[in-house]
Amino acid sequence: MFSHFICPQPEKPSLSYESKQKRSKGDEDDDRGRRKKRRHEAGSLGEPFSSGQMTDEEKERIKQMVEAEPDAELMDETSFKKMLLQFEKRVYRNQENRIKFPDYPEKFLQSEIELNEIIHEMHVMATVPEYYQILVDLRCVQSLLQLVAHDNTDISIAVIDLLQELTDPDILNENEDTASVLVDALLEGQVVAILVNNLERLDENIKEEFEGVHNSLAIIENMTEFKPDVCADIAQQDLMQWLLKRLRMKRPFDQNKLYCSEILSILLQDTEENRQLLGELDGIDDLLQLLALFKKQDPSTKDEMELMENLFNSMCSALAFPSNKSRFLRGEGLQLMNLMLREKKLSRNSAVKVLNHAMTGVEGQDNCQKFVEILGLRSVFPLYMKTPKTAKTGPSSDELEEHICSIIASMMRNCQGTLRQRLLLKFTENDHEKVERLLELHFKYLDKVRQCDDQIEREKMRLKHSGEDLDEDTEDEFYLKRLDAGLFTLQLIDYIMLEACASGASSIRSRVMQILNMRGGSVKVIRGIMREYAGNIGDAKDKTAREAEQDRILALVDKF
């Protein structure tokens, strides 16, 4: 256990999307479950590099041990305080002995063993989070944080393990009022900066220190889950730099690399400041280099697949910050994604999603033009004509159709001159097959939206009969439900249709009208969809740009 007592190790120096981007609550719950399972697999019962299954005999032996264990007495306030005072005494005694006998480890060995024992006993405190206020009031949080940097890494790892258990998300969420006191105290004590500083000296080739890294990341995740608004602040405490450095590290895949990708994805998901910071740290180039590994080679395990998806999700989130789209262009991200589309590996579907984020909006104009220049139309239109099969992870088939239609719509909006003409000519190739596909998608998603509208009408009738009012929030909720059901994709499809009919060859419009008549479609319905689209489009922060885009779409509607 105490491998570092005889010769304490010196401490190493520290290192100083305009489409629908929100992930559903179900996705977040699934991620939480996977992370909890991974944390268990990397725990002390197994090797840190692989997760083994327990035999029936081992399970039975553990069951017998649990049943034979006498019921422990519940900790009360007095015993809680007593344990904390004992902890503080042992901390002081260890510090005193180390100062008196710095060159004689055997002189402070016993005090270090006793300190380690009390830290392990303190795990019972996680069962009484209602007393966390006492932990803060007696200033024991500061003592714990100081011990993270203890010269003996065994003590440091024991404290990290304790903090991970005290901040377990189940405990925090079930005792929100009392548990928030501890989290606030840890954040005030710069816990993330202390953990990151300590991570620099841990050797992950040693099992216990590998687990120390994993538990450090778990503490950070626990706090971001309990207080999502801390993401911007903690990323500034050298955490982002360390995560990128650890992901770049040339070593075999392990659970800590996977965990780093998960934390990075969390930090970027909803925090604008972190997206900006990633760009300033050249993180876009780092992500592209990491993703390039999956260009011609599929992930070999389920965990590696999750790593790949976390990296793709991080890239998508980062591209929501405008200047990162330029960095993506300079880093030849378009070329990499284009190659992934052609290679037909598991990374292809997620590459489609990244391209959508890179090309959306006015800031995506340069990316749209460059994509056409590098012959990206040859890669994306085969996927438009036949939706790729859904992989085990990544976007569903409907999501892929949304991303692909959004890419084409962005190119329609942003490409100019001969590049735009090359795009429009695609709709006349092979006897207008792409126009036929466009109408096929139109009717598919129109049916989905109509089914959703029927459900909403029934819900409105129910609310009316029960005497409830339809306020603005309820109407917004219904509109979001329609978008999720396929309205957003339908709007993109009909926008492409209007642009192709207005700017392309006259034969495109003729074929559109022919198919509409054959299938009982209506120009009036398409105009209605696009007027609704115009009414909800644009950047709320820029009123002028929003109004200009609305006028442009309404002009296309009038031409149709």
PDB file of all heavy atoms in Angstrom, residues 26-41:
ATOM      1  N   GLY A  26     -32.832  12.497 -22.595  1.00  0.00           N
ATOM      2  CA  GLY A  26     -32.581  11.059 -22.673  1.00  0.00           C
ATOM      3  C   GLY A  26     -31.144  10.765 -23.031  1.00  0.00           C
ATOM      4  O   GLY A  26     -30.520   9.871 -22.478  1.00  0.00           O
ATOM      5  N   ASP A  27     -30.567  11.560 -23.963  1.00  0.00           N
ATOM      6  CA  ASP A  27     -29.161  11.376 -24.331  1.00  0.00           C
ATOM      7  C   ASP A  27     -28.265  11.613 -23.123  1.00  0.00           C
ATOM      8  O   ASP A  27     -27.303  10.887 -22.888  1.00  0.00           O
ATOM      9  CB  ASP A  27     -28.773  12.349 -25.457  1.00  0.00           C
ATOM     10  CG  ASP A  27     -29.437  11.991 -26.766  1.00  0.00           C
ATOM     11  OD1 ASP A  27     -29.770  10.800 -26.938  1.00  0.00           O
ATOM     12  OD2 ASP A  27     -29.629  12.888 -27.591  1.00  0.00           O
ATOM     13  N   GLU A  28     -28.572  12.675 -22.334  1.00  0.00           N
ATOM     14  CA  GLU A  28     -27.754  12.995 -21.181  1.00  0.00           C
ATOM     15  C   GLU A  28     -27.848  11.903 -20.122  1.00  0.00           C
ATOM     16  O   GLU A  28     -26.865  11.556 -19.473  1.00  0.00           O
ATOM     17  CB  GLU A  28     -28.185  14.343 -20.597  1.00  0.00           C
ATOM     18  CG  GLU A  28     -27.876  15.518 -21.549  1.00  0.00           C
ATOM     19  CD  GLU A  28     -28.469  16.815 -21.054  1.00  0.00           C
ATOM     20  OE1 GLU A  28     -29.123  16.799 -19.988  1.00  0.00           O
ATOM     21  OE2 GLU A  28     -28.274  17.837 -21.732  1.00  0.00           O
ATOM     22  N   ASP A  29     -29.066  11.358 -19.936  1.00  0.00           N
ATOM     23  CA  ASP A  29     -29.232  10.265 -18.971  1.00  0.00           C
ATOM     24  C   ASP A  29     -28.448   9.038 -19.393  1.00  0.00           C
ATOM     25  O   ASP A  29     -27.829   8.362 -18.570  1.00  0.00           O
ATOM     26  CB  ASP A  29     -30.713   9.902 -18.829  1.00  0.00           C
ATOM     27  CG  ASP A  29     -31.501  10.993 -18.099  1.00  0.00           C
ATOM     28  OD1 ASP A  29     -30.859  11.826 -17.432  1.00  0.00           O
ATOM     29  OD2 ASP A  29     -32.738  11.000 -18.214  1.00  0.00           O
ATOM     30  N   ASP A  30     -28.468   8.725 -20.719  1.00  0.00           N
ATOM     31  CA  ASP A  30     -27.698   7.586 -21.228  1.00  0.00           C
ATOM     32  C   ASP A  30     -26.216   7.794 -20.976  1.00  0.00           C
ATOM     33  O   ASP A  30     -25.497   6.890 -20.564  1.00  0.00           O
ATOM     34  CB  ASP A  30     -27.949   7.393 -22.730  1.00  0.00           C
ATOM     35  CG  ASP A  30     -29.352   6.877 -23.003  1.00  0.00           C
ATOM     36  OD1 ASP A  30     -30.000   6.403 -22.046  1.00  0.00           O
ATOM     37  OD2 ASP A  30     -29.805   6.966 -24.159  1.00  0.00           O
ATOM     38  N   ASP A  31     -25.732   9.030 -21.241  1.00  0.00           N
ATOM     39  CA  ASP A  31     -24.322   9.342 -21.016  1.00  0.00           C
ATOM     40  C   ASP A  31     -23.961   9.169 -19.548  1.00  0.00           C
ATOM     41  O   ASP A  31     -22.917   8.629 -19.206  1.00  0.00           O
ATOM     42  CB  ASP A  31     -24.025  10.789 -21.433  1.00  0.00           C
ATOM     43  CG  ASP A  31     -24.009  10.951 -22.934  1.00  0.00           C
ATOM     44  OD1 ASP A  31     -23.996   9.909 -23.613  1.00  0.00           O
ATOM     45  OD2 ASP A  31     -24.021  12.090 -23.409  1.00  0.00           O
ATOM     46  N   ARG A  32     -24.864   9.628 -18.654  1.00  0.00           N
ATOM     47  CA  ARG A  32     -24.600   9.531 -17.224  1.00  0.00           C
ATOM     48  C   ARG A  32     -24.471   8.083 -16.790  1.00  0.00           C
ATOM     49  O   ARG A  32     -23.608   7.725 -16.003  1.00  0.00           O
ATOM     50  CB  ARG A  32     -25.731  10.230 -16.467  1.00  0.00           C
ATOM     51  CG  ARG A  32     -25.401  10.538 -15.025  1.00  0.00           C
ATOM     52  CD  ARG A  32     -26.480  11.400 -14.401  1.00  0.00           C
ATOM     53  NE  ARG A  32     -26.549  12.690 -15.048  1.00  0.00           N
ATOM     54  CZ  ARG A  32     -27.672  13.202 -15.554  1.00  0.00           C
ATOM     55  NH1 ARG A  32     -28.789  12.536 -15.480  1.00  0.00           N
ATOM     56  NH2 ARG A  32     -27.662  14.375 -16.133  1.00  0.00           N
ATOM     57  N   GLY A  33     -25.365   7.226 -17.360  1.00  0.00           N
ATOM     58  CA  GLY A  33     -25.310   5.805 -17.027  1.00  0.00           C
ATOM     59  C   GLY A  33     -24.028   5.165 -17.504  1.00  0.00           C
ATOM     60  O   GLY A  33     -23.413   4.367 -16.795  1.00  0.00           O
ATOM     61  N   ARG A  34     -23.578   5.530 -18.725  1.00  0.00           N
ATOM     62  CA  ARG A  34     -22.333   4.973 -19.254  1.00  0.00           C
ATOM     63  C   ARG A  34     -21.147   5.420 -18.414  1.00  0.00           C
ATOM     64  O   ARG A  34     -20.225   4.655 -18.150  1.00  0.00           O
ATOM     65  CB  ARG A  34     -22.133   5.405 -20.711  1.00  0.00           C
ATOM     66  CG  ARG A  34     -23.027   4.691 -21.700  1.00  0.00           C
ATOM     67  CD  ARG A  34     -22.473   4.835 -23.104  1.00  0.00           C
ATOM     68  NE  ARG A  34     -22.326   6.217 -23.495  1.00  0.00           N
ATOM     69  CZ  ARG A  34     -23.286   6.918 -24.109  1.00  0.00           C
ATOM     70  NH1 ARG A  34     -24.457   6.367 -24.334  1.00  0.00           N
ATOM     71  NH2 ARG A  34     -23.082   8.165 -24.463  1.00  0.00           N
ATOM     72  N   ARG A  35     -21.160   6.696 -17.974  1.00  0.00           N
ATOM     73  CA  ARG A  35     -20.043   7.198 -17.190  1.00  0.00           C
ATOM     74  C   ARG A  35     -19.956   6.511 -15.835  1.00  0.00           C
ATOM     75  O   ARG A  35     -18.877   6.204 -15.343  1.00  0.00           O
ATOM     76  CB  ARG A  35     -20.161   8.723 -17.005  1.00  0.00           C
ATOM     77  CG  ARG A  35     -20.014   9.498 -18.303  1.00  0.00           C
ATOM     78  CD  ARG A  35     -19.734  10.951 -18.028  1.00  0.00           C
ATOM     79  NE  ARG A  35     -20.851  11.638 -17.404  1.00  0.00           N
ATOM     80  CZ  ARG A  35     -21.809  12.268 -18.058  1.00  0.00           C
ATOM     81  NH1 ARG A  35     -21.817  12.271 -19.367  1.00  0.00           N
ATOM     82  NH2 ARG A  35     -22.770  12.905 -17.417  1.00  0.00           N
ATOM     83  N   LYS A  36     -21.148   6.267 -15.228  1.00  0.00           N
ATOM     84  CA  LYS A  36     -21.170   5.586 -13.931  1.00  0.00           C
ATOM     85  C   LYS A  36     -20.630   4.168 -14.057  1.00  0.00           C
ATOM     86  O   LYS A  36     -19.861   3.687 -13.232  1.00  0.00           O
ATOM     87  CB  LYS A  36     -22.600   5.568 -13.389  1.00  0.00           C
ATOM     88  CG  LYS A  36     -22.698   5.120 -11.948  1.00  0.00           C
ATOM     89  CD  LYS A  36     -24.105   5.255 -11.424  1.00  0.00           C
ATOM     90  CE  LYS A  36     -24.486   6.683 -11.238  1.00  0.00           C
ATOM     91  NZ  LYS A  36     -25.822   6.827 -10.619  1.00  0.00           N
ATOM     92  N   LYS A  37     -21.029   3.492 -15.156  1.00  0.00           N
ATOM     93  CA  LYS A  37     -20.543   2.128 -15.402  1.00  0.00           C
ATOM     94  C   LYS A  37     -19.034   2.141 -15.616  1.00  0.00           C
ATOM     95  O   LYS A  37     -18.306   1.321 -15.084  1.00  0.00           O
ATOM     96  CB  LYS A  37     -21.244   1.550 -16.630  1.00  0.00           C
ATOM     97  CG  LYS A  37     -20.778   0.132 -16.955  1.00  0.00           C
ATOM     98  CD  LYS A  37     -21.400  -0.325 -18.257  1.00  0.00           C
ATOM     99  CE  LYS A  37     -20.807  -1.682 -18.635  1.00  0.00           C
ATOM    100  NZ  LYS A  37     -20.883  -1.965 -20.032  1.00  0.00           N
ATOM    101  N   ARG A  38     -18.543   3.134 -16.391  1.00  0.00           N
ATOM    102  CA  ARG A  38     -17.111   3.201 -16.666  1.00  0.00           C
ATOM    103  C   ARG A  38     -16.322   3.468 -15.391  1.00  0.00           C
ATOM    104  O   ARG A  38     -15.254   2.919 -15.179  1.00  0.00           O
ATOM    105  CB  ARG A  38     -16.847   4.304 -17.693  1.00  0.00           C
ATOM    106  CG  ARG A  38     -15.388   4.439 -18.057  1.00  0.00           C
ATOM    107  CD  ARG A  38     -15.178   5.350 -19.233  1.00  0.00           C
ATOM    108  NE  ARG A  38     -15.566   6.699 -18.972  1.00  0.00           N
ATOM    109  CZ  ARG A  38     -16.620   7.296 -19.497  1.00  0.00           C
ATOM    110  NH1 ARG A  38     -17.412   6.625 -20.311  1.00  0.00           N
ATOM    111  NH2 ARG A  38     -16.917   8.553 -19.242  1.00  0.00           N
ATOM    112  N   ARG A  39     -16.880   4.323 -14.517  1.00  0.00           N
ATOM    113  CA  ARG A  39     -16.189   4.629 -13.270  1.00  0.00           C
ATOM    114  C   ARG A  39     -16.048   3.383 -12.410  1.00  0.00           C
ATOM    115  O   ARG A  39     -15.055   3.152 -11.761  1.00  0.00           O
ATOM    116  CB  ARG A  39     -16.978   5.705 -12.514  1.00  0.00           C
ATOM    117  CG  ARG A  39     -16.204   6.386 -11.419  1.00  0.00           C
ATOM    118  CD  ARG A  39     -17.040   7.435 -10.752  1.00  0.00           C
ATOM    119  NE  ARG A  39     -17.518   8.401 -11.696  1.00  0.00           N
ATOM    120  CZ  ARG A  39     -18.500   9.260 -11.434  1.00  0.00           C
ATOM    121  NH1 ARG A  39     -19.103   9.244 -10.271  1.00  0.00           N
ATOM    122  NH2 ARG A  39     -18.894  10.123 -12.343  1.00  0.00           N
ATOM    123  N   HIS A  40     -17.117   2.554 -12.448  1.00  0.00           N
ATOM    124  CA  HIS A  40     -17.072   1.304 -11.690  1.00  0.00           C
ATOM    125  C   HIS A  40     -16.023   0.363 -12.271  1.00  0.00           C
ATOM    126  O   HIS A  40     -15.256  -0.257 -11.549  1.00  0.00           O
ATOM    127  CB  HIS A  40     -18.446   0.638 -11.710  1.00  0.00           C
ATOM    128  CG  HIS A  40     -18.443  -0.768 -11.168  1.00  0.00           C
ATOM    129  ND1 HIS A  40     -18.318  -1.034  -9.818  1.00  0.00           N
ATOM    130  CD2 HIS A  40     -18.524  -1.967 -11.794  1.00  0.00           C
ATOM    131  CE1 HIS A  40     -18.326  -2.334  -9.639  1.00  0.00           C
ATOM    132  NE2 HIS A  40     -18.449  -2.929 -10.807  1.00  0.00           N
ATOM    133  N   GLU A  41     -15.974   0.314 -13.612  1.00  0.00           N
ATOM    134  CA  GLU A  41     -15.036  -0.607 -14.265  1.00  0.00           C
ATOM    135  C   GLU A  41     -13.598  -0.219 -14.003  1.00  0.00           C
ATOM    136  O   GLU A  41     -12.713  -1.059 -13.954  1.00  0.00           O
ATOM    137  CB  GLU A  41     -15.301  -0.636 -15.779  1.00  0.00           C
ATOM    138  CG  GLU A  41     -16.593  -1.357 -16.137  1.00  0.00           C
ATOM    139  CD  GLU A  41     -16.902  -1.266 -17.620  1.00  0.00           C
ATOM    140  OE1 GLU A  41     -16.238  -0.463 -18.307  1.00  0.00           O
ATOM    141  OE2 GLU A  41     -17.785  -1.996 -18.079  1.00  0.00           O
TER     142      GLU A  41
END
